[in-house]
Amino acid sequence: MASVIAEVVSFERRPTSRPGLEIASAFLGDGTDVAKAIWFNMPRWGDALTPGVRVALYGKVERRGGLQLTNPEFEVLDNSAPESVGHIVSVYSATAGLPPRWIRRVVSTALARHLSEIEDFVPPEIRQKYAFGDLQESVLELHRPQGRESWLRARNRLAFDELFLLQIGLLLRKMKRVTTQKSSILKPAEKFRSFWQSLPFRPTDAQIRAIEEILSDLSSDAPMNRLLQGDVGSGKTIVAVAALVTAVDGGVQAAFMVPTEILAQQHFFRLKNLLSGLGVRVGLLTGALSSRIRKETLEAIASGEARIVVGTHAVFSAKVIFKELGLVIVDEQHRFGVLQKNALLAKTHSPHVLVMTATPIPRTLTLSIYGDLDVSILDELPSGRKPVKTYRLGFSSAHQTKLRSFIRETARRGRQIYWVCPLIEESEKLDVTAAYIRFQNLKEELSELRIALIHGQLPADEKETIMTAFAAGEIDILVATSVIEVGVDVPNATVMVIEDATRFGVAQLHQLRGRVGRGDEESHCILLAGKSTPQGTARLDAMISTSDGFKIAEMDLLQRGPGEICGVRQHGVTDFRVADLVRDHKLLEIARKEAAILVEADPELKNARPLAEALMSRLGAALDLAGTA
């Protein structure tokens, strides 16, 4: 990248063989040499480049039969002072037809007219403590940098502002919930003791710690709002069951909402088995129920006979009426929208809420997106669990022959195999193997084995039949899409084959790998991949190098950024203009600490009017803070 000042020798536009593509080119001279500049589909304002005009240009320089600048920015140097020459200039996102220098001129006018109106809302003592610059000066520096160091100081000041406001908003929301809402006081009693004594294994220390934290929350009249996160296979279900039984002991109903029917059915049957001797009726509510069973279930929920209700999004439909709902547990919460969860919470007054995820969340996201939740972490696996061995294989005939032999041997020993593909059917746009094609191929190549296909577009009853048969050991190989990513628990399955593995995110690969390794037998995850991008290769290397979901989550955050990971749980909260949750983790820690001090000293922000106004204008809608600050 280089800057040059030269005189235009000639300028022309010419069409190309591609429809709608035009190339503009200019020959430039400075008295010592000649260079060429080319632009693709240059707007008509480029016609100012007439022979004899002096211009300053900035762009990428290549040697193509001589020096060439490709799509450079430029400014015509007339008698007035140049706007973009001799100093650092800002680069703004622009739509086609708007030259960067025009945007710079508009921004410059806005700064001249309105910069003095900006009121600094960060308390002076915080600015002084961390040597943050004045807000007006920082805004001006960001648009008109004097140097790298001064620009970085201004940038960090504005990044802190965004994180500081977010932390105050989260703390205010948490304080409002704790001080104004009252929930049922729930304490473990006879049923909990019977459940605990009947467990056929000793819970891990992490499980015991999480259960103690949850029971402490439930024993208070302040509504619990806790996030339980743990790696794949860390035993979140038992922790959830402990909370459910405590709710029953406390005389209220509990709802357990999960994202898929397969997972709902698994939780339903597991709960029935665990609670069979306690006289607790568990109801199942999914869209696939027959009219008769659904009617009976709804009546049992309304009468209070069904103490625990497991279901999909059907749980929060309008026809579902609880007699006394006191606890709501949401599994794989990132798969539900905010409005869906609110619809369930609206069925009762101030319930205790536990949200769970098997996708470990990096600390920076926990402090930001989930900053108003208390957090419990399951950071150890149950004893006896062996790490899943992970390999990468190519598509060569030698590798494929070796893989088929390994699968035959696995099935011969009575074990089962998942084979996951990224697509259901073939795509003309993507060169990847579809699940349907792989299913047909495997039936021909491994005709002696029992092979089934499952994907999200199958009818619910058909998916249920297939998964039930697989869980019962009646299917050797289950070819699937990522529909089996979450919650499927078949301890006899010991091999996971993921085809075109670079098409999956690293967190999704880790979730899929978590479907095996759930029994005592050694398990394997085989990543099938051809040539890939550096990012795709990095994802596979991460999978091979570690089985720690928290390390993988950090890698995922670095690769994809917070926006994609957060999804739409709180749309707008991570739409930072300046802050970056990956690199600004130290600023986030400072912002959280200072926000806690400020809110504790002045919970209604009575002494911080500029701060309260900034909070409402920037975060009011995203955090639903109306009437708080």
Side-chain angles (χ1 to χ4, degrees):
M1 303 297 291
S3 298
V4 299
I5 293 179
E7 185 175 298
V8 177
V9 177
S10 66
F11 177 79
E12 68 170 356
R13 295 177 183 271
R14 59 182 175 82
T16 66
S17 57
R18 282 180 55 186
L21 177 62
E22 180 185 71
I23 294 179
S25 60
F27 279 96
L28 311 164
D30 66 352
T32 64
D33 203 348
V34 176
K36 184 180 181 182
I38 66 168
W39 295 266
F40 300 99
N41 285 338
M42 173 188 274
R44 286 295 158 184
W45 48 261
D47 291 341
L49 296 174
T50 55
V53 166
R54 279 177 56 76
V55 291
L57 304 98
Y58 174 74
K60 185 178 181 181
V61 181
E62 301 171 291
R63 287 196 173 273
R64 298 201 172 187
L67 294 176
Q68 176 177 300
L69 288 88
T70 304
N71 280 326
E73 278 194 52
F74 70 90
E75 180 182 348
V76 175
L77 301 178
D78 51 24
N79 294 328
S80 61
E83 297 175 0
S84 306
V85 180
H87 55 85
I88 302 170
V89 295
S90 297
V91 177
Y92 300 100
S93 299
T95 189
L98 287 181
R101 69 174 186 274
W102 183 87
I103 299 177
R104 283 195 284 269
R105 191 173 301 153
V106 171
V107 170
S108 180
T109 300
L111 289 171
R113 291 180 181 176
H114 303 292
L115 183 64
S116 61
E117 299 171 17
I118 296 177
E119 189 171 8
D120 203 328
F121 53 82
V122 174
E125 56 271 21
I126 294 178
R127 301 205 303 268
Q128 185 176 359
K129 184 177 181 180
Y130 298 101
F132 289 136
D134 174 79
L135 182 55
Q136 291 184 16
E137 293 173 359
S138 298
V139 170
L140 185 61
E141 177 66 24
L142 209 67
H143 290 283
R144 298 177 186 169
Q146 300 303 305
R148 176 164 180 78
E149 291 303 317
S150 59
W151 177 89
L152 189 59
R153 285 194 298 272
R155 183 256 166 216
N156 287 345
R157 161 65 212 266
L158 296 176
F160 171 81
D161 287 359
E162 292 183 310
L163 298 170
F164 186 49
L165 288 175
L166 174 62
Q167 292 305 311
I168 291 173
L170 291 169
L171 289 170
L172 286 175
R173 184 164 70 176
K174 182 176 182 179
M175 183 176 290
K176 181 181 180 180
R177 185 184 70 246
V178 171
T179 57
T180 64
Q181 299 177 15
K182 299 297 180 184
S183 295
S184 302
I185 295 176
L186 308 176
K187 295 184 178 181
E190 181 182 345
K191 287 183 171 55
F192 180 89
R193 286 190 289 271
S194 298
F195 153 73
W196 195 251
Q197 292 166 4
S198 67
L199 288 177
F201 56 87
R202 184 190 182 280
T204 65
D205 291 341
Q207 285 174 312
I208 293 171
R209 182 176 64 248
I211 290 172
E212 289 175 346
E213 291 168 346
I214 291 168
L215 295 184
S216 176
D217 288 349
L218 295 176
S219 65
S220 168
D221 63 355
M224 175 176 71
N225 205 25
R226 182 170 290 276
L227 168 68
L228 174 65
Q229 60 168 319
D231 209 343
V232 173
S234 58
K236 293 179 299 300
T237 302
I238 291 300
V239 177
V241 175
L244 293 169
V245 175
T246 301
V248 174
D249 267 337
V252 299
Q253 291 171 288
F256 193 176
M257 188 165 71
V258 299
T260 66
E261 293 189 2
I262 292 174
L263 188 53
Q265 290 156 1
Q266 287 198 339
H267 280 319
F268 172 68
F269 289 120
R270 182 176 296 177
L271 281 169
K272 286 188 71 174
N273 291 334
L274 285 170
L275 308 180
S276 59
L278 303 183
V280 178
R281 176 168 175 178
V282 182
L284 174 65
L285 203 57
T286 69
L289 296 178
S290 67
S291 298
R292 181 181 62 81
I293 295 178
R294 181 178 177 80
K295 183 173 181 294
E296 291 175 357
T297 303
L298 290 175
E299 290 174 352
I301 295 172
S303 68
E305 183 183 351
R307 307 307 299 164
I308 298 173
V309 181
V310 182
T312 58
H313 57 277
V315 172
F316 57 76
S317 65
K319 293 182 179 179
V320 181
I321 299 173
F322 288 86
K323 183 178 182 181
E324 188 178 6
L325 179 60
L327 171 66
V328 173
I329 298 180
V330 182
D331 196 10
E332 293 304 324
Q333 57 77 36
H334 61 284
R335 291 174 170 248
F336 294 99
V338 177
L339 297 180
Q340 289 176 314
K341 281 178 279 191
N342 287 347
L344 178 56
L345 300 180
K347 292 183 177 294
T348 186
H349 177 69
S350 300
H352 294 286
V353 178
L354 176 67
V355 295
M356 307 197 304
T357 180
T359 304
I361 303 168
R363 175 170 170 74
T364 52
L365 287 186
T366 303
L367 290 178
S368 54
I369 303 307
Y370 303 96
D372 60 329
L373 276 67
D374 297 309
V375 179
S376 294
I377 297 177
L378 299 181
D379 52 6
E380 60 181 305
L381 297 179
S383 61
R385 287 279 177 90
K386 298 178 181 178
V388 178
K389 293 186 175 181
T390 305
Y391 319 88
R392 176 177 180 172
L393 283 182
F395 289 101
S396 67
S397 57
H399 281 170
Q400 293 302 305
T401 299
K402 184 178 179 180
L403 177 58
R404 299 307 189 273
S405 297
F406 177 64
I407 286 174
R408 281 192 175 96
E409 176 60 22
T410 299
R412 187 190 65 78
R413 291 188 291 104
R415 301 299 176 179
Q416 293 164 276
I417 302 99
Y418 294 104
W419 192 303
V420 176
C421 298
L423 300 176
I424 299 173
E425 297 179 344
E426 282 190 300
S427 167
E428 295 180 359
K429 296 181 180 180
L430 298 175
D431 184 21
V432 296
T433 303
Y436 182 75
I437 299 299
R438 178 57 64 206
F439 170 64
Q440 297 293 340
N441 291 344
L442 290 175
K443 283 181 68 176
E444 294 176 6
E445 297 168 4
L446 305 171
S447 57
E448 73 276 19
L449 301 182
R450 300 165 296 176
I451 305 173
L453 171 67
I454 188 170
H455 53 77
Q457 293 183 9
L458 287 176
D461 55 347
E462 191 171 341
K463 282 189 288 188
E464 180 183 353
T465 300
I466 294 171
M467 285 308 305
T468 301
F470 188 67
E474 298 168 4
I475 295 171
D476 298 311
I477 303 176
L478 183 63
V479 181
T481 58
S482 58
V483 68
I484 55 95
E485 173 190 348
V486 173
V488 177
D489 188 5
V490 181
N492 193 53
T494 60
V495 175
M496 168 63 72
V497 179
I498 306 175
E499 189 152 356
D500 293 301
T502 55
R503 294 281 175 181
F504 297 89
V506 66
Q508 193 174 28
L509 289 172
H510 183 61
Q511 286 293 315
L512 289 168
R513 176 169 61 183
R515 297 311 104 212
V516 296
R518 293 176 166 263
D520 298 330
E521 186 87 1
E522 186 172 73
S523 297
H524 307 265
C525 177
I526 299 164
L527 308 171
L528 295 181
K531 291 183 179 179
S532 178
T533 62
Q535 293 84 358
T537 300
R539 290 196 291 273
L540 302 194
D541 290 344
M543 286 288 293
I544 294 169
S545 66
T546 182
S547 58
D548 186 331
F550 289 92
K551 290 182 180 179
I552 286 175
E554 294 289 349
M555 295 177 191
D556 200 25
L557 178 63
L558 286 170
Q559 276 206 355
R560 293 199 292 154
E564 290 186 49
I565 294 176
C566 294
V568 294
R569 179 183 183 263
Q570 293 188 11
H571 176 68
V573 172
T574 54
D575 294 344
F576 297 124
R577 299 296 181 90
V578 182
D580 183 321
L581 289 177
V582 176
R583 65 181 178 181
D584 290 330
H585 56 93
K586 290 184 179 179
L587 280 177
L588 178 59
E589 298 279 0
I590 293 171
R592 186 166 181 80
K593 181 178 75 172
E594 294 300 332
I597 294 172
L598 188 146
V599 170
E600 184 177 353
D602 186 10
E604 296 182 5
L605 303 186
K606 289 181 178 179
N607 301 318
R609 183 186 57 80
L611 182 57
E613 291 176 353
L615 179 70
M616 295 306 297
S617 66
R618 295 198 191 184
L619 292 178
L623 289 172
D624 190 24
L625 288 170
T628 299

